[in-house]
Amino acid sequence: MFSSSSLLLAQLSLLSAVLASSVTCNSPIPSSQYLHDIPSWQSQNFSCTGSPAIHTIRNSLGKGLGVFATRAIEPGMVIFHEAPAILIHPPEFRDGVGYPLSGIAQLIQSAFDALSADRKAEVMSLTAHYTSAEKASPNRDELVPIFRSNAYNSGQQIGLYPKIARINHGCRPNTSYLWNARLGKQVVYASRRIEEGEELSISYIPLLHTHEEREKRLDQYGFKCTCEACALEKDEKDASDQRRKDIRQAFTDFNSHLTLTVPQSKSGKKRAQEKADASLQLVKIVEEEELADYYAQIYRIAAISHAKVEAWPAAAQFALKSYQIYLMADEQSEQTIEMQMLTSSFIESWNNHLRNKAMQKD
Ligand SMILES: *[C@@H]1O[C@H](CO)[C@@H](O)[C@H](O)[C@H]1NC(C)=O
Ligand SMILES: *[C@@H]1O[C@H](CO)[C@@H](O)[C@H](O)[C@H]1NC(C)=O
Ligand SMILES: [Zn+2]
């Protein structure tokens, strides 16, 4: 017991030390055809560049263009990062309704006007879905529908990324994105293993909804999703729907409980243990549903929940897993730093615990 846990502990400390000092991405050197991309990346001293050589844009059956892997890509590998062509501070967000588009049309237009001719053409080449009112309008505006159909949240802002826009939607996507505020870039990474030749998918919508609810949301993009999650047989689809509902509920339940204080009372300890158990259940269903977009968040929840019951090995391992995901996008983001601190603090508590135990034996 003792020796195996200290071995694991040693491995963990080593791993976290290595991780803190450097990020390795296993990306090949970009091939010469992409050389023009390199200077801007290097000038940012971004330690994890990924490479445009690992993906290509081509036709995807029935979906217009799509992005495909040109080699196998491991989970956690950065595929590329991209600065927005247009980035705006939206007015107030109204939950469930989205952004009031009339208010932001002007913002989009002035950002667009400032672009170079090439960049403008790149933006205008993106596909848009028009509302019926827009379709009926004789001199309809193209830019706002393009923006609406392709933009991504970028911290507190919304951005249009011409390259990311080429990745088609999936409700169990194999890539995900994190906003790097320091570089002002969106980092696209593989959240699951992607085989050579396989298409990349990314989510356009919040994924913790049933198939029917997702279909409604995707209406505004003008397509019916046929991804592997949407194509499931009824029984499996019901199970998937239930998991997504349960995950959403669990996120709500955990929100108010995430402090690090270890409870002292008997009832407090009991509640904390129930929470730790619930966090394992949350990890289990998110992994079962393979919703990798949420892995960083659930590992963080599990780490803190286990720290509250002083289950240090589990706390440290979950914290490290969450850290590894955030680290990919940005070594210096708040989340990365938080998870790095939690990982080392939990490892330290674990060390102390083992030391005390050894002393008691003497
Ligand atoms: C990048 O690194 C070089 C050398 O380490 C340094 O001189 C430069 O200031 C860095 N640039 C940025 C944008 O951090
Ligand atoms: C990646 O996404 C594509 C497109 O939705 C899908 O065909 C493929 O099965 C996915 N691969 C993995 C490993 O999830
Ligand atoms: Zn789908």
Side-chain angles (χ1 to χ4, degrees):
M1 242 324 256
F2 184 78
S3 68
S4 74
S5 65
S6 52
L7 179 65
L8 186 55
L9 179 60
Q11 285 172 342
L12 257 176
S13 333
L14 188 65
L15 190 52
S16 66
V18 169
L19 277 166
S21 61
S22 71
V23 193
T24 46
C25 281
N26 312 317
S27 301
I29 306 289
S31 65
S32 57
Q33 75 188 99
Y34 294 106
L35 275 180
H36 62 276
D37 275 349
I38 296 173
S40 63
W41 297 8
Q42 287 184 337
S43 67
Q44 301 281 10
N45 288 356
F46 196 61
S47 56
C48 187
T49 53
S51 161
I54 67 180
H55 68 278
T56 179
I57 297 175
R58 61 177 158 86
N59 273 314
S60 172
L61 202 64
K63 296 191 231 167
L65 293 176
V67 183
F68 293 79
T70 55
R71 48 167 273 195
I73 306 175
E74 295 300 329
M77 224 168 111
V78 171
I79 301 170
F80 62 84
H81 36 88
E82 187 179 12
I86 295 177
L87 186 67
I88 59 161
H89 279 280
E92 202 183 329
F93 183 77
R94 287 180 296 152
D95 201 23
V97 184
Y99 296 104
L101 271 156
S102 55
I104 67 175
Q106 198 47 50
L107 294 173
I108 300 171
Q109 188 64 50
S110 29
F112 179 80
D113 290 342
L115 297 177
S116 71
D118 279 0
R119 203 68 166 144
K120 280 182 181 155
E122 198 180 5
V123 168
M124 296 316 287
S125 74
L126 297 173
T127 41
H129 175 66
Y130 300 95
T131 62
S132 36
E134 282 164 352
K135 273 187 199 142
S137 156
N139 47 1
R140 71 175 178 219
D141 173 45
E142 309 273 328
L143 185 58
V144 168
I146 285 179
F147 190 85
R148 186 188 52 221
S149 309
N150 293 287
Y152 280 90
N153 288 336
S154 320
Q156 304 300 312
Q157 305 167 87
I158 326 178
L160 181 70
Y161 305 82
K163 202 149 97 178
I164 301 177
R166 295 298 183 197
I167 307 178
N168 288 312
H169 167 84
C171 301
R172 189 178 283 163
N174 51 29
T175 75
S176 187
Y177 58 93
L178 282 169
W179 170 245
N180 182 319
R182 208 160 42 90
L183 299 184
K185 287 182 171 185
Q186 205 76 268
V187 179
V188 176
Y189 64 95
S191 53
R192 307 166 62 186
R193 185 184 155 85
I194 304 169
E195 302 300 334
E196 179 178 341
E198 209 171 52
E199 183 168 2
L200 310 186
S201 53
I202 201 163
S203 182
Y204 296 178
I205 56 169
L207 289 174
L208 301 182
H209 293 280
T210 62
H211 174 236
E212 200 185 318
E213 291 162 345
R214 296 198 305 274
E215 231 170 29
K216 264 191 221 135
R217 292 253 185 161
L218 289 169
D219 262 355
Q220 59 175 319
Y221 294 94
F223 66 89
K224 272 230 168 354
C225 189
T226 56
C227 80
E228 51 175 315
C230 292
L232 291 172
E233 295 297 330
K234 185 174 183 318
D235 283 359
E236 283 184 55
K237 195 184 284 178
D238 288 348
S240 158
D241 283 353
Q242 190 58 49
R243 279 195 293 267
R244 287 175 195 240
K245 276 194 244 173
D246 291 347
I247 296 165
R248 200 171 71 218
Q249 184 58 48
F251 273 124
T252 313
D253 293 348
F254 269 105
N255 240 342
S256 53
H257 293 272
L258 282 179
T259 62
L260 275 170
T261 18
V262 173
Q264 296 307 322
S265 71
K266 208 168 162 196
S267 62
K269 280 186 196 300
K270 183 162 170 281
R271 266 199 311 275
Q273 187 56 55
E274 283 163 8
K275 279 282 159 193
D277 295 344
S279 77
L280 285 185
Q281 179 62 18
L282 173 62
V283 166
K284 180 166 168 277
I285 52 178
V286 174
E287 287 181 348
E288 257 172 28
E289 191 61 16
E290 295 185 70
L291 290 180
D293 291 45
Y294 300 94
Y295 285 174
Q297 289 173 60
I298 56 163
Y299 295 145
R300 176 178 177 275
I301 289 175
I304 295 174
S305 305
H306 281 79
K308 285 177 81 87
V309 294
E310 300 178 278
W312 303 118
Q317 287 172 77
F318 281 124
L320 182 62
K321 282 173 111 167
S322 179
Y323 169 61
Q324 285 173 301
I325 298 171
Y326 287 127
L327 182 65
M328 234 169 2
D330 185 352
E331 294 153 58
Q332 290 170 33
S333 73
E334 250 172 65
Q335 291 107 323
T336 309
I337 291 168
E338 182 198 15
M339 295 321 299
Q340 185 182 22
M341 276 166 38
L342 290 184
T343 306
S344 19
S345 133
F346 296 164
I347 287 175
E348 199 183 312
S349 303
W350 188 3
N351 257 325
N352 291 340
H353 172 80
L354 291 175
R355 215 174 292 133
N356 290 343
K357 231 167 68 177
M359 264 158 54
Q360 278 163 15
K361 270 192 202 151
D362 290 346

